[in-house]
Protein backbone atom coordinates (compact mmCIF):
# COMPACT_ATOMS: atom_id res chain seq x y z
CA UNK A 1 0.00 0.00 0.00
CA UNK A 2 2.60 2.52 0.94
CA UNK A 3 5.00 3.42 -1.78
CA UNK A 4 7.59 6.13 -1.93
CA UNK A 5 6.26 7.44 -5.24
CA UNK A 6 2.60 7.46 -4.21
CA UNK A 7 0.68 9.72 -1.91
CA UNK A 8 0.72 7.11 0.84
CA UNK A 9 4.42 7.39 1.64
CA UNK A 10 5.01 8.42 5.21
CA UNK A 11 8.64 7.70 6.05
CA UNK A 12 7.84 5.78 9.23
CA UNK A 13 10.27 2.88 9.41
CA UNK A 14 8.01 1.18 11.93
CA UNK A 15 5.25 0.95 9.32
CA UNK A 16 2.61 1.89 11.87
CA UNK A 17 -0.16 2.61 9.32
CA UNK A 18 0.48 -0.73 7.63
CA UNK A 19 0.38 -2.60 10.93
CA UNK A 20 -2.84 -0.84 11.92
CA UNK A 21 -4.29 -1.66 8.51
CA UNK A 22 -3.43 -5.34 9.03
CA UNK A 23 -5.08 -5.26 12.46
CA UNK A 24 -8.31 -3.93 10.92
CA UNK A 25 -8.07 -6.67 8.27
CA UNK A 26 -7.84 -9.29 11.02
CA UNK A 27 -10.89 -7.73 12.67
CA UNK A 28 -12.79 -7.98 9.39
CA UNK A 29 -11.79 -11.62 9.03
CA UNK A 30 -12.91 -12.28 12.60
CA UNK A 31 -16.33 -10.80 11.89
CA UNK A 32 -16.70 -12.98 8.78
CA UNK A 33 -15.77 -16.05 10.81
CA UNK A 34 -18.30 -15.06 13.48
CA UNK A 35 -20.96 -14.74 10.77
CA UNK A 36 -20.04 -18.22 9.54
CA UNK A 37 -20.44 -19.65 13.03
CA UNK A 38 -23.80 -17.91 13.37
CA UNK A 39 -24.87 -19.47 10.06
CA UNK A 40 -24.32 -22.90 11.58
CA UNK A 41 -26.78 -21.99 14.35
CA UNK A 42 -29.56 -21.08 11.94
CA UNK A 43 -31.04 -24.58 11.48
CA UNK A 44 -31.13 -25.04 15.26
CA UNK A 45 -32.35 -21.63 16.45
CA UNK A 46 -34.31 -20.26 13.50
CA UNK A 47 -34.57 -16.91 11.77
CA UNK A 48 -33.38 -14.85 14.74
CA UNK A 49 -29.84 -16.01 14.02
CA UNK A 50 -30.12 -14.19 10.69
CA UNK A 51 -29.99 -11.00 12.72
CA UNK A 52 -26.63 -12.06 14.11
CA UNK A 53 -25.33 -13.00 10.68
CA UNK A 54 -26.49 -9.68 9.25
CA UNK A 55 -24.91 -7.70 12.10
CA UNK A 56 -21.56 -9.46 11.71
CA UNK A 57 -21.55 -9.04 7.93
CA UNK A 58 -22.51 -5.36 8.11
CA UNK A 59 -19.76 -4.73 10.65
CA UNK A 60 -17.21 -6.51 8.46
CA UNK A 61 -18.31 -4.54 5.40
CA UNK A 62 -18.17 -1.23 7.28
CA UNK A 63 -14.64 -1.97 8.46
CA UNK A 64 -13.54 -3.01 4.99
CA UNK A 65 -15.13 -0.04 3.22
CA UNK A 66 -13.51 2.50 5.56
CA UNK A 67 -10.10 0.83 5.74
CA UNK A 68 -8.44 2.85 2.98
CA UNK A 69 -9.64 6.12 4.49
CA UNK A 70 -8.21 5.17 7.90
CA UNK A 71 -4.87 4.24 6.31
CA UNK A 72 -4.52 7.57 4.51
CA UNK A 73 -5.57 9.40 7.65
CA UNK A 74 -2.81 7.63 9.58
CA UNK A 75 -0.25 8.50 6.89
CA UNK A 76 -1.32 12.16 7.04
CA UNK A 77 -1.04 12.04 10.81
CA UNK A 78 2.53 10.79 10.65
CA UNK A 79 3.48 13.42 8.09
CA UNK A 80 1.96 16.22 10.15
CA UNK A 81 3.20 14.69 13.41
CA UNK A 82 -0.22 15.00 14.97
CA UNK A 83 -3.17 12.71 14.79
CA UNK A 84 -6.15 12.77 17.12
CA UNK A 85 -7.49 9.34 17.94
CA UNK A 86 -10.43 8.19 15.85
CA UNK A 87 -12.62 7.04 18.68
CA UNK A 88 -15.81 6.74 16.63
CA UNK A 89 -14.84 3.76 14.50
CA UNK A 90 -13.24 1.91 17.38
CA UNK A 91 -16.25 2.50 19.61
CA UNK A 92 -18.63 1.42 16.85
CA UNK A 93 -16.80 -1.87 16.32
CA UNK A 94 -16.59 -2.48 20.07
CA UNK A 95 -20.32 -1.79 20.46
CA UNK A 96 -21.09 -4.10 17.55
CA UNK A 97 -19.06 -6.92 19.08
CA UNK A 98 -20.71 -6.47 22.48
CA UNK A 99 -24.21 -6.46 20.98
CA UNK A 100 -23.45 -9.53 18.85
CA UNK A 101 -22.03 -11.33 21.87
CA UNK A 102 -25.08 -10.51 24.00
CA UNK A 103 -27.45 -11.61 21.24
CA UNK A 104 -25.43 -14.80 20.80
CA UNK A 105 -25.69 -15.55 24.52
CA UNK A 106 -29.42 -14.82 24.39
CA UNK A 107 -29.78 -17.17 21.42
CA UNK A 108 -27.99 -20.05 23.10
CA UNK A 109 -29.62 -19.67 26.51
CA UNK A 110 -33.19 -18.61 25.74
CA UNK A 111 -34.18 -19.61 22.22
CA UNK A 112 -35.50 -23.14 22.02
CA UNK A 113 -33.86 -25.63 19.72
CA UNK A 114 -35.93 -26.39 16.66
CA UNK A 115 -36.51 -30.01 15.76
Amino acid sequence: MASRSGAAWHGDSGLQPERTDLAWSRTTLSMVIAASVFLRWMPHHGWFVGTLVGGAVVTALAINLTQKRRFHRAVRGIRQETMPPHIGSTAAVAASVVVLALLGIYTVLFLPLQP
Side-chain angles (χ1 to χ4, degrees):
M1 278 199 201
S3 67
R4 290 181 181 257
S5 61
W9 185 73
H10 50 75
D12 178 23
S13 60
L15 299 174
Q16 181 62 39
E18 287 80 2
R19 289 188 285 135
T20 303
D21 194 47
L22 287 174
W24 281 107
S25 295
R26 287 190 298 270
T27 303
T28 301
L29 181 62
S30 299
M31 296 307 289
V32 170
I33 290 171
S36 301
V37 170
F38 292 145
L39 273 176
R40 290 184 54 98
W41 292 1
M42 194 165 299
H44 305 292
H45 294 287
W47 65 268
F48 181 77
V49 178
T51 306
L52 300 174
V53 172
V57 168
V58 166
T59 303
L61 282 174
I63 292 169
N64 196 28
L65 292 175
T66 58
Q67 199 163 356
K68 189 173 184 177
R69 185 179 62 194
R70 276 193 305 275
F71 178 80
H72 287 291
R73 183 175 176 271
V75 168
R76 263 194 323 272
I78 288 175
R79 283 183 184 164
Q80 298 170 354
E81 297 184 358
T82 180
M83 184 173 62
H86 198 256
I87 298 172
S89 61
T90 306
V93 171
S96 173
V97 168
V98 168
V99 168
L100 287 171
L102 291 175
L103 290 175
I105 290 170
Y106 173 79
T107 300
V108 170
L109 293 180
F110 299 110
L111 289 182
L113 290 175
Q114 295 181 351

